[in-house]
Amino acid sequence: MHFHRLAKMAFLALTATRVATAFSAATLRSVGASSSSAASSSRRSLTNAAAVAFLDNRNRGASASTTAGRFFSQSAAAASTCTSSITALRQSTVVESELEKNLGLSHPAFDIISTDIVTEFGAYCTLYRHKQSGAELLSVSTDDDNKCFGITFRTPPTDSTGVPHILEHSVLCGSRKYKTKDPFVQLLQGSLQTFLNAFTYPDRTCYVVASQNTKDFYNLINVYADAVYHPRATSDPMVHAQEGWHLELEKIEEPLTYKGVVYNEMKGVYSSPDSLLQRDAQQSIFPDNTYGVDSGGSPVEIPNLSFEQFAEFHQKFYHPGNSRIFFAGDDDVANRLEIMDEYLKDFGPSPESKPASTIQWQKKTFDAPKKIRNPYPAGNDQPETHMIMMNWLVNDRPLTPVEEITVTILDHLLMGTSSSILYKTLMESGLGESITGGGLMSELMQGTFSAGLKGVKPEDADKVEEVIMSTLQKVVEEGFTEDAIAASMNTIEFDMREFNTGSFPKGLSLMLGSMREWIYDRSPTDALRFEEPLAELKKSISESGSKVFQDMVKEFLLENTHRSTLEMFPSKTLEEEQLQEEKDRLAKIKESMSEEELQRIIDTTTELKKLQAAEDAPEARATIPSLELSDLKREVTEYPIAVSENEADTGVTVVRHELGSTSGIAYANLAVDVSGVATEDIPLLPLFTRMMLETGAGEYDSVALSRRIGTHTGGVSASALIAGVEVEGGTEGAVTSGEHFVTKLLITGKATSDKTDELFSIFDLILRDANLDAKSKIIEILKQAKSQKESTVQGSGHATSNARIRSRYNVVGYINEKMTGLSSLDVVKDLLDQAENDFPALLARLENIRNTILEKSTCRDGMILDLTGDAAVFEKIQPSVENFLSKLPGDTNAEKLQDFYSEPHPWVKEIKEEMAANAPIADEGFIVPTQVSYVGKGGRLYDVDESVSGSTAVVSRFLGTGYMWDNIRVIGGAYGGFCQFNPRDGVFSFLSYRDPNLAGSIDVYDGAADALLASAADMENDPDALTTAIIGAIADMDGALSPDQKGSAQFKRWLTRESPEQRQKYRDEVLNTTPADFKAFAERLKALKDPSSAVVSSKAAFEDAAKAGKEFTLKNVM
């Protein structure tokens, strides 16, 4: 996985945790506006969702929640409240004593460089240096059972051939000890890993694993350590050909083509206007160092990388002396050192390794700002709008810890929320549709700052820069208000102290945070500290207010001439020109070759495909360490739940999850029924939920509301929740008709226990009194949504295809697609037209939604307050809960709503009529400017009322990590191939991501059933393969959860009426899966009912598919 600038990472431990919160907010699969960002794709697309959730830092435009306060005098109080109330990392004395024993533990092969206790995270750290090889190892002991291991190499490229990225993919394709073609896949198939991935930065490459099972953890470490130090890839050119690039030719009369996983991945990246903007921006301000080239690789440059250069790069940069090895968790420190010594002792010293990889500083050399104009690919129907982004090189020297935290707060003040001054001013300027530029980027040696707009008219291009510069000038002259500073300070401090990483391993968050300094030969533990610099910043603010921020804006931005303004303009011929340039280049190469040379390419193509299709030998598979079924937990993990219906005669149901510790924080969800909303207004719910947080409420304008939220809470979000339920009287675990579901407006938030009065007050305020009469803000939101949805179709077409497929078979799928999928783009365009030309009509619809959900006679019956906390939290917040319940709108003796568990939802009849007209079973193609395809095909695997066994989880996962991986990714060259099965609706789908093929991938899907039948037969004689598949399925079920995620998971179980007995039955069926289950699944797949396809691709690709007999009903999206 290559970390592009677009997918901004919050690697600093003090800000990283806010991202993982996004995943917990998504636990209930809610849709609409929320505080969370969308997830970007990982290198290995089959990697777990926790990883994916972290990868996209924050989509500022989508931020409907978050942060703020009133007066700075309150900020100090809020900050001190955080300090005293959030006890996240305060272990017991016994635990501290045990952890302290690990400090400075000696081993004969290692020297101890330093020991340190990072009290902020309860981390007991020892930094070692391996005596023989020179490798550095940071051992972090915590009381976290989700153990984490990583190896990071400093890998600065000198060109854009993508060599570090290709190497990152390739080292995991077999090694000295582990002989299969792709040990990574074997681990993915049969490990209990909670994180398994690798990523390429502009200047380093990281290999990371995590697991809660100690035996599994050691297995993962061994495979990864052997892979990076002794990869097969450096001696086998076929790996470089498969993962990087190769010339492909099957018949001498056919044209040459380029193939390769990274090559196709980067073609997808370079098809995205957003990615091109971010790439060009970074390169514009780093003309003199490694950040000025693309470590991921340019599709034009990748074919210039020879195998010899590839192997030499590994030899140069993958010596242990250039590696930083990281451990975190509760595993034994002595074992850590012993395991790593087994690998490191093979190497002698390499005094040139570190100096050779040193990153050179980019000095601020621009005498005047640069202006750059570049094209981006646009569709024929796309408006002639530009993208404008200003970019600064922030620092050309190391920042002090105080400067680091100050610039983090400053970033939040400028761009952190929709009410932040630069963000707000840009959006309200009316010059563009949505924000671009992620603000501060600080994960590399030198920070950058970017801000701008997309959807800008050509004549307004210069005005964007004027708005940005005048806003910064205003900040320098007037500073920030006390309440703005209070809100940003509390928001960042809450995140740091809570340290809530969701399912993302905390150890990995610590690793990424430490690496920000360690990789540049500075202290890894200093990078994790925030108490002292935070206290110093607070002192500075108390003495001189916002001057520290004003001075920083002046030095780093306003008076900094080392900046660029990048203007991207649309080209409706660029995609065609790029395709033609590639064809011409390949034709020229072919013309220059003799028949013998062409035959060698044909032979190599045949050999590579033969190797890719070949099964690993049994003796090779036997080298991969594995678990046994006896290592698995047989019981489902249940989380506490207590349900109080009609609590205190308020008519409201309260659901509580009392956990061992939530560190003084209360997590709350208020669910309000929306089943009375008219079906034609369902698509307005995402807009409605965003307005609850972005347009102000009651006496608070949008800025004041945001600051109140930020000052007193850890964040508030609003979204729409639609969840299918078990039907009363039906067979539990059987496919439902899709007619029974619950629909809620979900307000989610968190606060320290002494701030829950404020939290609940905000809940009540935005529920009752959100300002709906905000025409300009609504237009702004809709323009932003339109831009973001267009980017999603182009960059995440697999999700678009999947949603479209599922919308054809199920009412819930249809509603979700209309609210968040491709159909929602048309909805947003229609709403934008109505907002601009008939706002009173739109306002009436929004007001009707609120009046309906707050209907006095019924609303309390549909209200649920879901709370997660520990015993002390619950005791402290009870008065606040009682007060909140008593003041909620509606009658306490509310009329009963219908029983959604026994009666069809009131939306069903009209939605089914819509589906008949708008969602026929058909093969649809959606045309966008792109060089790759996103190919989806699906259908009904199970009919309504058929029982679905837990074995389906094993088989569908096996299919995705085996057949799909081998044929779509390895042989086909796509970045990802996977499949999904939903046991509630019985729908199965195949999907590909950044795929160079279209018709060929559909053929692969059509061959899956026969391949699965063959695998079922093989498993009769290969019990180990079956065991591996079962273990992988259990891993998906047993991920690590944060306290709020545990509460959310149990709440969803209760809301959907899924019983503990059914969960255990399903798990037992997973554990008891047999080859016969594989055969039964394959036979169903062979007879897949009502199959249909949805593909996002280019016009040229659809034309080629038609020649291959694959016809689609086409629609131009952009």
Side-chain angles (χ1 to χ4, degrees):
M1 175 186 65
H2 180 242
F3 278 3
H4 306 290
R5 198 164 175 275
L6 177 64
K8 174 179 172 184
M9 299 292 291
F11 294 112
L12 183 57
L14 32 114
T15 57
T17 54
R18 81 180 69 176
V19 179
T21 310
F23 185 65
S24 60
T27 301
L28 292 176
R29 299 190 182 192
S30 53
V31 296
S34 85
S35 59
S36 310
S37 63
S40 67
S41 283
S42 69
R43 163 192 178 272
R44 303 278 191 164
S45 55
L46 298 166
T47 248
N48 63 40
V52 174
F54 182 75
L55 299 182
D56 187 14
N57 173 21
R58 49 181 165 170
N59 183 339
R60 297 177 187 274
S63 179
S65 73
T66 44
T67 60
R70 287 188 186 171
F71 309 104
F72 185 64
S73 57
Q74 292 180 338
S75 159
S80 62
T81 297
C82 275
T83 306
S84 60
S85 301
I86 303 182
T87 56
L89 300 155
R90 304 290 186 267
Q91 290 98 348
S92 69
T93 304
V94 174
V95 171
E96 289 178 348
S97 175
E98 288 301 309
L99 292 175
E100 195 164 5
K101 292 177 182 177
N102 292 322
L103 276 179
L105 190 72
S106 63
H107 186 284
F110 291 87
D111 289 324
I112 296 173
I113 301 173
S114 63
T115 59
D116 205 353
I117 303 173
V118 182
T119 56
E120 287 89 338
F121 299 109
Y124 290 71
C125 309
T126 305
L127 182 61
Y128 296 91
R129 181 179 291 113
H130 190 251
K131 294 176 181 178
Q132 184 170 314
S133 68
E136 291 185 5
L137 185 153
L138 181 63
S139 175
V140 181
S141 292
T142 67
D143 62 352
D144 184 7
D145 70 345
N146 195 11
K147 294 163 274 290
C148 179
F149 164 80
I151 302 180
T152 300
F153 300 90
R154 204 160 56 196
T155 52
T158 57
D159 57 37
S160 295
T161 59
V163 56
H165 187 195
I166 296 169
L167 192 56
E168 173 237 302
H169 279 242
S170 300
V171 300
L172 297 172
C173 294
S175 65
R176 179 184 62 178
K177 288 169 62 177
Y178 305 107
K179 305 294 188 179
T180 62
K181 292 182 298 182
D182 201 338
F184 176 92
V185 177
Q186 277 81 47
L187 294 178
L188 195 65
Q189 290 170 338
S191 161
L192 295 177
Q193 53 82 21
T194 55
F195 192 92
L196 183 71
N197 216 323
F199 7 96
T200 302
Y201 290 71
D203 61 6
R204 58 192 181 270
T205 308
C206 305
Y207 299 87
V208 188
V209 300
S211 180
Q212 295 171 285
N213 180 289
T214 302
K215 178 181 176 182
D216 186 52
F217 183 56
Y218 291 152
N219 289 346
L220 296 171
I221 292 170
N222 277 287
V223 173
Y224 261 48
D226 200 60
V228 297
Y229 293 130
H230 304 287
R232 172 173 69 99
T234 56
S235 59
D236 185 352
M238 287 299 186
V239 177
H240 169 254
Q242 172 183 290
E243 298 297 321
W245 76 276
H246 63 274
L247 288 169
E248 187 160 300
L249 187 66
E250 294 188 347
K251 297 178 181 178
I252 202 161
E253 65 273 14
E254 293 178 347
L256 279 174
T257 58
Y258 286 127
K259 285 291 183 70
V261 173
V262 169
Y263 179 77
N264 287 307
E265 175 191 347
M266 299 312 294
K267 285 186 79 172
V269 170
Y270 277 57
S271 295
S272 162
D274 290 320
S275 295
L276 291 173
L277 177 70
Q278 304 292 347
R279 179 208 63 178
D280 291 353
Q282 177 169 310
Q283 293 181 2
S284 72
I285 54 175
F286 289 105
D288 304 319
N289 77 351
T290 191
Y291 303 146
V293 299
D294 192 342
S295 63
S298 160
V300 175
E301 297 295 327
I302 287 172
N304 294 328
L305 179 68
S306 70
F307 172 72
E308 291 73 22
Q309 291 168 324
F310 166 81
E312 181 185 350
F313 194 89
H314 180 273
Q315 184 178 9
K316 182 176 182 180
F317 292 120
Y318 275 62
H319 188 278
N322 190 43
S323 64
R324 279 81 173 165
I325 302 164
F326 180 92
F327 284 88
D330 63 358
D331 56 304
D332 184 75
V333 173
N335 285 343
R336 295 174 176 178
L337 301 175
E338 192 62 32
I339 289 172
M340 289 317 301
D341 181 48
E342 284 298 310
Y343 292 95
L344 299 176
K345 68 184 182 182
D346 292 339
F347 297 86
S350 178
E352 71 280 2
S353 287
K354 275 192 178 179
S357 68
T358 300
I359 312 300
Q360 301 302 316
W361 285 89
Q362 170 66 60
K363 292 299 181 181
K364 294 181 179 179
T365 56
F366 295 179
D367 295 328
K370 307 286 187 185
K371 291 203 177 225
I372 301 161
R373 295 184 82 251
N374 289 328
Y376 71 86
N380 290 328
D381 299 330
Q382 209 166 333
E384 295 280 346
T385 58
H386 294 208
M387 299 189 290
I388 312 294
M389 190 162 76
M390 294 188 68
N391 316 281
W392 283 264
L393 176 61
V394 172
N395 60 303
D396 57 0
R397 58 169 177 79
L399 297 180
T400 67
V402 176
E403 287 176 322
E404 288 269 15
I405 201 164
T406 302
V407 77
T408 300
I409 304 293
L410 173 61
D411 176 49
H412 195 271
L413 284 162
L414 290 172
M415 293 284 286
T417 75
S418 60
S419 67
S420 297
I421 185 168
L422 184 53
Y423 187 108
K424 184 173 185 289
T425 304
L426 278 168
M427 285 306 302
E428 291 182 351
S429 71
L431 296 174
E433 294 181 347
S434 64
I435 295 290
T436 190
L440 178 69
M441 307 276 298
S442 60
E443 71 272 14
L444 302 178
M445 186 169 74
Q446 295 181 258
T448 62
F449 187 91
S450 298
L453 285 170
K454 296 195 291 184
V456 179
K457 295 177 181 177
E459 60 269 24
D460 291 335
D462 292 339
K463 297 176 185 176
V464 176
E465 181 174 345
E466 293 171 10
V467 168
I468 294 172
M469 295 305 289
S470 63
T471 304
L472 296 177
Q473 181 67 46
K474 181 180 179 182
V475 168
V476 170
E477 292 173 357
E478 301 177 11
F480 296 100
T481 60
E482 291 181 337
D483 58 336
I485 296 172
S488 291
M489 289 287 288
N490 188 70
T491 296
I492 300 299
E493 185 171 1
F494 191 104
D495 286 345
M496 291 189 293
R497 297 193 185 285
E498 183 191 17
F499 196 48
N500 183 347
T501 63
S503 297
F504 181 77
K506 288 186 176 182
L508 181 48
S509 185
L510 292 173
M511 173 186 148
L512 297 177
S514 67
M515 210 58 66
R516 288 188 67 256
E517 299 292 331
W518 192 16
I519 200 70
Y520 306 120
D521 302 318
R522 300 192 289 263
S523 167
T525 52
D526 284 352
L528 302 177
R529 300 184 185 284
F530 61 81
E531 290 287 8
E532 289 185 15
L534 182 62
E536 192 171 333
L537 175 58
K538 288 180 180 178
K539 182 174 181 291
S540 176
I541 293 170
S542 68
E543 293 172 351
S544 56
S546 89
K547 185 176 184 299
V548 62
F549 300 112
Q550 291 166 266
D551 290 346
M552 190 167 273
V553 171
K554 184 177 182 181
E555 177 188 352
F556 288 160
L557 300 177
L558 195 62
E559 295 183 354
N560 179 3
T561 57
H562 195 104
R563 70 170 194 262
S564 67
T565 299
L566 179 60
E567 179 179 355
M568 302 288 284
F569 59 89
S571 170
K572 296 182 179 181
T573 61
L574 182 61
E575 178 194 350
E576 185 180 335
E577 289 167 4
Q578 290 172 333
L579 290 172
Q580 190 60 49
E581 187 278 332
E582 181 180 299
K583 287 180 182 177
D584 292 345
R585 183 164 21 117
L586 287 164
K588 189 174 180 180
I589 292 171
K590 187 178 181 185
E591 287 171 9
S592 70
M593 289 182 167
S594 66
E595 283 198 19
E596 291 77 10
E597 290 171 321
L598 291 172
Q599 187 58 49
R600 279 200 295 272
I601 292 176
I602 293 172
D603 293 343
T604 302
T605 300
T606 303
E607 182 185 359
L608 178 58
K609 291 194 172 185
K610 183 180 177 182
L611 288 170
Q612 290 170 331
E615 294 288 334
D616 287 311
E619 56 269 24
R621 292 203 306 272
T623 65
I624 305 299
S626 60
L627 299 174
E628 305 294 334
L629 290 181
S630 59
D631 295 316
L632 306 182
K633 185 167 66 74
R634 300 200 69 88
E635 296 77 29
V636 170
T637 300
E638 298 288 342
Y639 305 109
I641 185 168
V643 180
S644 173
E645 296 183 357
N646 189 25
E647 176 146 332
D649 295 323
T650 61
V652 180
T653 296
V654 179
V655 180
R656 292 178 174 85
H657 314 281
E658 184 178 312
L659 303 179
S661 173
T662 60
S663 307
I665 299 173
Y667 299 94
N669 299 300
L670 177 65
V672 182
D673 182 79
V674 295
S675 63
V677 171
T679 52
E680 63 266 23
D681 288 337
I682 295 169
L684 268 72
L685 288 172
L687 172 63
F688 183 84
T689 53
R690 280 195 66 175
M691 293 181 67
M692 291 175 70
L693 288 144
E694 293 191 42
T695 57
E699 66 187 62
Y700 296 87
D701 64 16
S702 61
V703 174
L705 176 63
S706 177
R707 290 177 183 171
R708 183 182 175 193
I709 292 170
T711 298
H712 298 292
T713 78
V716 174
S717 65
S719 57
L721 167 67
I722 301 172
V725 300
E726 294 289 345
V727 181
E728 188 176 311
T731 301
E732 196 171 11
V735 172
T736 66
S737 65
E739 297 183 355
H740 298 81
F741 50 93
V742 290
T743 49
K744 301 288 185 182
L745 185 153
L746 197 67
I747 305 175
T748 299
K750 57 187 174 183
T752 53
S753 56
D754 56 347
K755 288 286 186 175
T756 50
D757 271 336
E758 279 285 348
L759 180 68
F760 291 145
S761 175
I762 290 166
F763 278 19
D764 186 72
L765 176 68
I766 63 176
L767 178 63
R768 293 177 190 261
D769 295 325
N771 177 23
L772 303 180
D773 190 1
K775 179 178 178 179
S776 61
K777 185 65 176 178
I778 289 174
I779 290 172
E780 177 187 307
I781 289 171
L782 290 170
K783 284 182 176 180
Q784 192 179 77
K786 173 179 169 289
S787 176
Q788 290 166 351
K789 288 177 184 296
E790 288 174 342
S791 295
T792 298
V793 174
Q794 205 165 8
S796 300
H798 61 302
T800 300
S801 297
N802 194 38
R804 190 69 168 197
I805 290 167
R806 292 178 179 278
S807 72
R808 300 165 184 157
Y809 304 98
N810 182 277
V811 171
V812 173
Y814 180 83
I815 294 170
N816 280 329
E817 202 273 338
K818 195 167 182 179
M819 292 174 68
T820 64
L822 188 63
S823 298
S824 69
L825 178 56
D826 292 329
V827 168
V828 165
K829 290 176 180 177
D830 291 342
L831 290 176
L832 181 57
D833 179 69
Q834 188 173 38
E836 291 176 330
N837 299 306
D838 190 7
F839 181 72
L842 178 58
L843 177 59
R845 295 173 71 188
L846 291 166
E847 288 177 336
N848 188 54
I849 288 175
R850 179 161 62 192
N851 292 337
T852 300
I853 65 178
L854 296 183
E855 165 58 41
K856 184 179 180 183
S857 63
T858 57
C859 69
R860 287 207 178 195
D861 184 59
M863 286 185 180
I864 306 167
L865 180 62
D866 177 60
L867 301 169
T868 299
D870 53 39
V873 165
F874 280 150
E875 181 179 359
K876 191 166 185 176
I877 71 172
Q878 185 56 29
S880 300
V881 172
E882 293 172 359
N883 183 55
F884 176 53
L885 295 177
S886 68
K887 292 181 178 179
L888 281 168
D891 294 335
T892 55
N893 56 346
E895 297 176 15
K896 294 291 183 182
L897 296 168
Q898 73 168 68
D899 185 349
F900 299 104
Y901 303 94
S902 62
E903 303 171 40
H905 193 282
W907 292 349
V908 168
K909 183 175 182 295
E910 291 184 35
I911 291 295
K912 282 191 168 182
E913 291 173 359
E914 268 192 49
M915 289 177 68
N918 301 331
I921 305 297
D923 295 328
E924 295 181 289
F926 304 101
I927 299 172
V928 300
T930 182
Q931 298 180 58
V932 293
S933 297
Y934 302 88
V935 184
K937 182 173 182 178
R940 299 181 190 276
L941 195 66
Y942 282 77
D943 282 328
V944 174
D945 294 331
E946 284 191 298
S947 294
V948 178
S949 167
S951 65
T952 57
V954 181
V955 183
S956 59
R957 193 181 192 281
F958 172 86
L959 195 58
T961 58
Y963 176 80
M964 290 288 287
W965 178 275
D966 291 340
N967 289 277
I968 296 295
R969 185 189 181 282
V970 175
I971 296 174
Y975 187 42
F978 35 94
C979 50
Q980 291 187 359
F981 175 64
N982 184 339
R984 188 177 294 281
D985 63 21
V987 175
F988 181 89
S989 59
F990 296 101
L991 299 162
S992 71
Y993 180 73
R994 291 180 181 165
D995 193 344
N997 309 300
L998 199 168
S1001 290
I1002 291 178
D1003 289 339
V1004 169
Y1005 301 163
D1006 292 343
D1010 287 336
L1012 195 55
L1013 282 170
S1015 295
D1018 292 341
M1019 278 187 181
E1020 295 286 357
N1021 301 311
D1022 189 359
D1024 290 343
L1026 179 60
T1027 297
T1028 295
I1030 292 170
I1031 292 168
I1034 290 292
D1036 285 347
M1037 300 167 69
D1038 287 355
L1041 300 180
S1042 60
D1044 56 313
Q1045 286 181 321
K1046 292 175 182 177
S1048 292
Q1050 199 68 23
F1051 176 60
K1052 182 187 176 184
R1053 292 169 172 179
W1054 171 80
L1055 188 67
T1056 59
R1057 296 300 187 265
E1058 180 188 275
S1059 70
E1061 293 77 18
Q1062 171 58 24
R1063 286 192 287 277
Q1064 187 60 53
K1065 177 175 177 288
Y1066 189 85
R1067 188 181 183 92
D1068 290 342
E1069 289 166 347
V1070 168
L1071 290 165
N1072 296 323
T1073 298
T1074 67
D1077 295 314
F1078 278 70
K1079 182 180 179 183
F1081 192 104
E1083 288 170 345
R1084 283 184 177 272
L1085 193 57
K1086 204 171 185 66
L1088 190 68
K1089 296 179 180 178
D1090 301 324
S1092 66
S1093 300
V1095 178
V1096 175
S1097 192
S1098 65
K1099 181 181 178 182
F1102 283 118
E1103 290 172 350
D1104 289 342
K1107 294 174 186 175
K1110 303 295 192 292
E1111 297 282 353
F1112 297 86
T1113 301
L1114 298 179
K1115 177 183 177 180
N1116 278 299
V1117 177
M1118 299 168 65

